[in-house]
Amino acid sequence: MKKTILIYTMVCACIFTAQAQRKWTLEECIEYAISQNIVIKQTELQKESAEVAVHTAQMNRLPNLNASAGQNWNFGRTQTANGMYENRTQSSNSFSISSSVPLFTGFQIPNQVKKNKLDLKAAVYNMEAAEEDLALNITSLFLQVLFNKEFLKISQERENLSNMQLDRTKSLVNAGKVPHSQLTDIEAQIASDKVSVVEAKNNLILSLLELAQYMELEKPLEFDIYEPEMKNIQIENDFIESPVAILNNALNTKPSIKSSQYRVESAGKSVKIAESGYWPSLTLNLSYGTNYFYLYNSDTNRPFRNQLKNNAGKYIGLSLNIPIFNRFSVRNQVRNAKINYQNQQLILEDTKKNLHKEIQTAYVNASNAREKYLASNKAISASQESFQQAQQRYEVGRSTVFEFNEIKNKLMVSQSEQLRAKYDYIFRIKILDFYNGISITLN
C-alpha cells in the first residue's frame, strides 16, 4: 500500500513539474479560449456572411452590365439582310452589350439594405453573447482549479500534522504515557492522509486538464494557472445588488437581448420587403448590338468591320411592371413575413423572461452562498478552538489518537466546507457581474 502511494505521488510530482513551465491568468485563459473555440469561430463566420449580405444589398442600386456573343449557321430558306428569304447557306455573328438600372422597386432595395444591416448588428451581438458564455464557463473551471489547489494545501498540512503527531506519539510511548497501540493508530492515519493528498493532487491535475482541454490547448499537460490574490473580494462586506437593478442593467447591456431586439427590427423590415411586391417597378434599359453575315459561295459578302459598323443598333427604354394578379403570392409572402415578425417578438419576450428568471436564481444563489460562507467561518472558528484543546490534551497524554484524529478530521471538513463556500460565493458573484455587464476578473 505504501509503495503504491509512493509511486503514484512520484508520477503526480513529475506531471506537476511539467506543468510549471507557464502560469496563465484568467484573462489569458479567456482570451486564448475565444481565439480557439469552434463556436466562436462559427459566429465570426456568421458575422462575415452578414457583412457580405449588406454589401450585396447596397450594390443592388447600381446598374448591371452584360455582354453576349452568338454564332449561327443557317441552311435552306434563310432570311437575308434585306429581309427576303432565299435558298442559301450562311453564317452570322451577333454581339451585344446591355445594362439595366432599377429606378423604383417599391422600396425593396432600401428596406433590404436596412434589414441586412440589422442582421449584421444581431450577428455581432450574437458573437459577443457566445464570448460571454465562454468566459463564464472558463471562470467556473478556473475557480475549480483554485479550489483544488487550496484543498491540496489543506490535505498536505493535515499530512504534515500527522507526521508531527507521529513524532509526539513516539515520545509519549517511550515515556510510557500512552500504549504502543496508539503508535499503530497514528501510522494508519498517516497512510490515510497520504491517500487524501494523492487524491487531492489527482483532482487538481484533472481540473487543470479539463480547463486546458476546454481552452483547446495543444499541450494540455504542460499547463498551470496563476493564483490571483483577489484583494478586491471582501465577502463579509460585499453588497449584493437587487435583482430589479441587475435586470435593468442586463436589458440595456446583454448581447443576447440586443441580438433579439435587432432580429425583431429585421423581421419588421422583411414585412416591408414583402409588401414591395404590391408596388409597380420601373427599370431603365440600355443596349447596343450588331451583326455580321457571311454567305457561302458568294462574292457579295461585305467586310467584317464594315458590317459591324453598319449593322449596329442602339436601344434605350423604360420598362414598367405593374402587378395586377399574382395568384396571391405577394399577399402570402406578406402574411408569412408578419408571422415571422410576431414570432421574433415572442422570442424577444421569452428571452427577457428567461433572463429575469436567471437573474433571480443567480441572486438567490449568491445570497445563499454568502450566508453559507459566513456560517462556515463561524464553524471553522469553533473547530479550530476544539482542535487546539484536543491537541493540548493529546500532547500531555490525556486523550487517545482516535479522539485526536476525530477532532482533526472535523477541522479538515470545516476547512473544506469553508473553502468550497468561498469559491462558490465568488463564482455566484461573478455570475451577477456577468448579468450586470461587468467584465469578469479575479483581481
Side-chain angles (χ1 to χ4, degrees):
M1 180 67 179
K2 292 183 179 180
K3 184 178 180 181
T4 303
I5 293 173
L6 179 60
I7 294 174
Y8 192 71
T9 302
M10 292 175 64
V11 172
C12 292
C14 292
I15 296 176
F16 271 99
T17 302
Q19 291 175 339
Q21 296 181 1
R22 175 188 174 184
K23 291 191 175 183
W24 294 62
T25 65
L26 174 61
E27 291 76 13
E28 289 174 337
C29 291
I30 292 174
E31 183 179 354
Y32 185 86
I34 289 175
S35 68
Q36 299 296 316
N37 187 263
I38 298 298
V39 175
I40 300 298
K41 291 180 178 180
Q42 288 176 329
T43 58
E44 289 177 351
L45 292 176
Q46 291 171 0
K47 180 180 76 70
E48 292 179 11
S49 178
E51 291 173 347
V52 173
V54 170
H55 185 263
T56 301
Q58 291 173 332
M59 294 303 102
N60 284 336
R61 295 190 176 103
L62 300 179
N64 62 3
L65 184 63
N66 299 288
S68 64
Q71 172 70 55
N72 299 297
W73 289 269
N74 298 312
F75 307 93
R77 302 288 291 178
T78 306
Q79 187 177 22
T80 63
N82 57 12
M84 303 296 293
Y85 283 88
E86 296 180 2
N87 287 322
R88 57 170 59 186
T89 301
Q90 72 174 21
S91 65
S92 63
N93 301 94
S94 61
F95 308 92
S96 67
I97 185 170
S98 62
S99 176
S100 63
V101 184
L103 301 180
F104 180 72
T105 58
F107 308 106
Q108 179 182 10
I109 293 178
N111 283 318
Q112 187 69 55
V113 171
K114 293 177 182 178
K115 177 189 183 304
N116 290 354
K117 286 183 176 180
L118 292 169
D119 288 339
L120 174 58
K121 291 181 179 179
V124 170
Y125 281 111
N126 188 50
M127 184 176 67
E128 291 182 7
E131 291 177 353
E132 280 192 350
D133 291 340
L134 179 64
L136 193 62
N137 292 334
I138 290 291
T139 302
S140 175
L141 295 174
F142 194 93
L143 289 173
Q144 183 62 44
V145 173
L146 291 178
F147 168 81
N148 287 334
K149 279 179 174 288
E150 290 200 33
F151 189 78
L152 174 60
K153 292 177 183 178
I154 293 175
S155 299
Q156 290 171 335
E157 290 174 1
R158 181 186 181 186
E159 182 185 12
N160 293 335
L161 185 59
S162 294
N163 288 326
M164 294 172 60
Q165 187 180 357
L166 175 62
D167 295 336
R168 180 58 181 165
T169 303
K170 287 180 179 179
S171 300
L172 293 174
V173 170
N174 293 333
K177 293 183 178 181
V178 296
H180 189 272
S181 59
Q182 292 201 24
L183 187 60
T184 306
D185 292 339
I186 192 60
E187 289 176 346
Q189 180 63 42
I190 291 175
S192 176
D193 291 343
K194 288 184 180 296
V195 172
S196 298
V197 170
V198 170
E199 290 178 349
K201 286 183 178 180
N202 185 50
N203 290 334
L204 175 56
I205 292 173
L206 290 176
S207 61
L208 281 167
L209 179 62
E210 185 178 6
L211 174 57
Q213 289 176 338
Y214 197 82
M215 292 168 55
E216 304 290 347
L217 279 177
E218 295 182 359
K219 298 180 179 179
L221 292 181
E222 299 178 7
F223 174 73
D224 197 3
I225 66 169
Y226 171 76
E227 301 175 48
E229 295 181 3
M230 295 187 285
K231 293 180 179 179
N232 295 330
I233 300 177
Q234 300 176 353
I235 298 178
E236 291 82 357
N237 299 323
D238 269 352
F239 170 74
I240 302 178
E241 199 169 4
S242 68
V244 175
I246 296 174
L247 177 63
N248 291 334
N249 291 334
L251 292 176
N252 294 324
T253 60
K254 289 301 293 177
S256 57
I257 298 296
K258 293 287 187 181
S259 179
S260 293
Q261 289 173 337
Y262 283 120
R263 294 294 181 193
V264 172
E265 294 183 37
S266 173
K269 294 301 177 183
S270 294
V271 175
K272 296 293 184 182
I273 294 171
E275 290 176 343
S276 66
Y278 290 129
W279 290 78
S281 60
L282 182 63
T283 306
L284 173 64
N285 302 301
L286 305 97
S287 67
Y288 173 87
T290 187
N291 298 283
Y292 168 75
F293 294 91
Y294 178 80
L295 182 63
Y296 291 91
N297 301 321
S298 174
D299 298 328
T300 62
N301 291 310
R302 296 178 182 179
F304 182 78
R305 179 179 298 179
N306 292 346
Q307 286 198 42
L308 291 183
K309 180 179 179 181
N310 295 332
N311 295 338
K314 306 176 184 64
Y315 167 80
I316 182 171
L318 294 172
S319 61
L320 179 66
N321 181 33
I322 303 174
I324 297 176
F325 180 70
N326 46 40
R327 296 183 293 274
F328 302 106
S329 63
V330 174
R331 188 191 72 169
N332 289 332
Q333 289 174 4
V334 172
R335 291 173 64 186
N336 281 331
K338 289 181 177 179
I339 291 173
N340 181 56
Y341 177 68
Q342 293 173 348
N343 185 51
Q344 291 298 328
Q345 287 180 316
L346 292 175
I347 291 175
L348 174 59
E349 182 180 351
D350 186 58
T351 302
K352 290 181 178 179
K353 287 183 176 180
N354 288 334
L355 179 63
H356 191 193
K357 294 175 183 177
E358 291 170 3
I359 290 175
Q360 288 177 329
T361 302
Y363 174 82
V364 172
N365 287 337
S367 299
N368 291 341
R370 182 176 184 273
E371 295 300 322
K372 185 176 180 180
Y373 177 74
L374 296 177
S376 67
N377 283 345
K378 296 179 180 179
I380 200 170
S381 297
S383 296
Q384 287 174 341
E385 183 177 353
S386 177
F387 173 75
Q388 291 174 357
Q389 294 174 358
Q391 189 175 27
Q392 292 172 0
R393 291 196 302 271
Y394 178 76
E395 289 178 352
V396 296
R398 295 175 57 188
S399 66
T400 65
V401 171
F402 178 80
E403 293 172 340
F404 180 71
N405 286 336
E406 185 177 8
I407 299 297
K408 186 175 66 173
N409 290 336
K410 288 182 179 179
L411 175 61
M412 185 176 181
V413 170
S414 298
Q415 289 173 329
S416 62
E417 288 180 351
Q418 182 202 41
L419 188 63
R420 190 173 299 279
K422 170 187 172 182
Y423 282 104
D424 182 53
Y425 175 74
I426 292 174
F427 180 63
R428 301 300 177 183
I429 286 296
K430 293 306 168 183
I431 292 178
L432 293 180
D433 288 344
F434 166 78
Y435 286 120
N436 254 327
I438 301 173
S439 299
I440 297 178
T441 178
L442 296 179
N443 297 325

